[in-house]
Amino acid sequence: MLPLDKVSKVREFNRSYTELLGLLNKKVFDTNISWQEGRILLEIKLNHLINPKEIATTLRIDKSYTSRIINRLTKQGFLQKIPSPTDSRSVQLKLTSSGETMANDLDRKSDDQVEQLVANLSAKQQSQFYQAVETINQLLFPGK
């Protein structure tokens, strides 16, 4: 078990990193969508998840909450629901042209955010930062 002082350090890092990325803001990157909505758009764009159940499972979001978010994104014109060709009870999701534009914008702004995050670090520090992230990914998300 991790000693309590180290648990506290991990939690402190989580709070600081969350604040640094602006994850507690209601809207992502000064847009009219929430972080959860943005994540769903990016999952559809980047990982080609087109089934609401896949999205809920991948993001570990309650299925009914996922459904409400998808409905909001559909009403905002970012998503289109298409009946599933294999299951009449299910739908597939497709980004509209507005959804593609928003997902591309979020993707670019996310890249910019990381670049700004490390911009004041030396090349050696950037390498150390990347290695630390890579280590965390390997330990917490093996196989990804």
Side-chain angles (χ1 to χ4, degrees):
M1 235 22 217
L2 211 55
L4 191 54
D5 63 322
K6 291 184 179 181
V7 169
S8 293
K9 271 299 205 195
V10 171
R11 293 185 64 216
E12 179 183 336
F13 169 80
N14 288 342
R15 288 190 304 274
S16 298
Y17 197 65
T18 298
E19 182 181 329
L20 179 67
L21 294 180
L23 297 178
L24 298 178
N25 297 338
K26 289 188 182 221
K27 302 298 178 186
V28 60
F29 296 129
D30 297 321
T31 65
N32 63 339
I33 65 170
S34 70
W35 283 96
Q36 295 88 348
E37 291 166 336
R39 275 301 307 272
I40 287 175
L41 291 176
L42 286 173
E43 284 300 323
I44 293 169
K45 175 190 183 302
L46 299 173
N47 296 322
H48 308 289
L49 297 182
I50 58 169
N51 178 300
K53 184 178 177 184
E54 290 174 325
I55 292 169
T57 301
T58 300
L59 296 179
R60 298 178 187 176
I61 301 175
D62 177 75
K63 289 177 189 169
S64 62
Y65 183 51
T66 302
S67 179
R68 289 192 300 274
I69 295 171
I70 289 169
N71 286 335
R72 273 197 311 268
L73 290 168
T74 301
K75 287 177 185 171
Q76 291 174 319
F78 295 125
L79 286 181
Q80 180 181 10
K81 292 180 184 178
I82 302 166
S84 170
T86 58
D87 183 355
S88 62
R89 300 167 295 160
S90 186
V91 295
Q92 294 180 340
L93 303 171
K94 181 178 188 248
L95 294 173
T96 63
S97 60
S98 295
E100 281 281 344
T101 300
M102 178 62 79
N104 289 336
D105 189 43
L106 294 174
D107 199 23
R108 181 183 47 76
K109 286 180 176 180
S110 294
D111 287 347
D112 292 347
Q113 185 181 44
V114 172
E115 288 176 3
Q116 290 172 6
L117 182 67
V118 299
N120 292 327
L121 301 177
S122 69
K124 181 180 178 183
Q125 289 171 320
Q126 287 181 16
S127 179
Q128 289 173 323
F129 173 85
Y130 177 79
Q131 275 308 122
V133 169
E134 188 64 28
T135 299
I136 291 170
N137 278 329
Q138 289 171 359
L139 293 172
L140 297 182
F141 314 110
K144 275 195 168 185

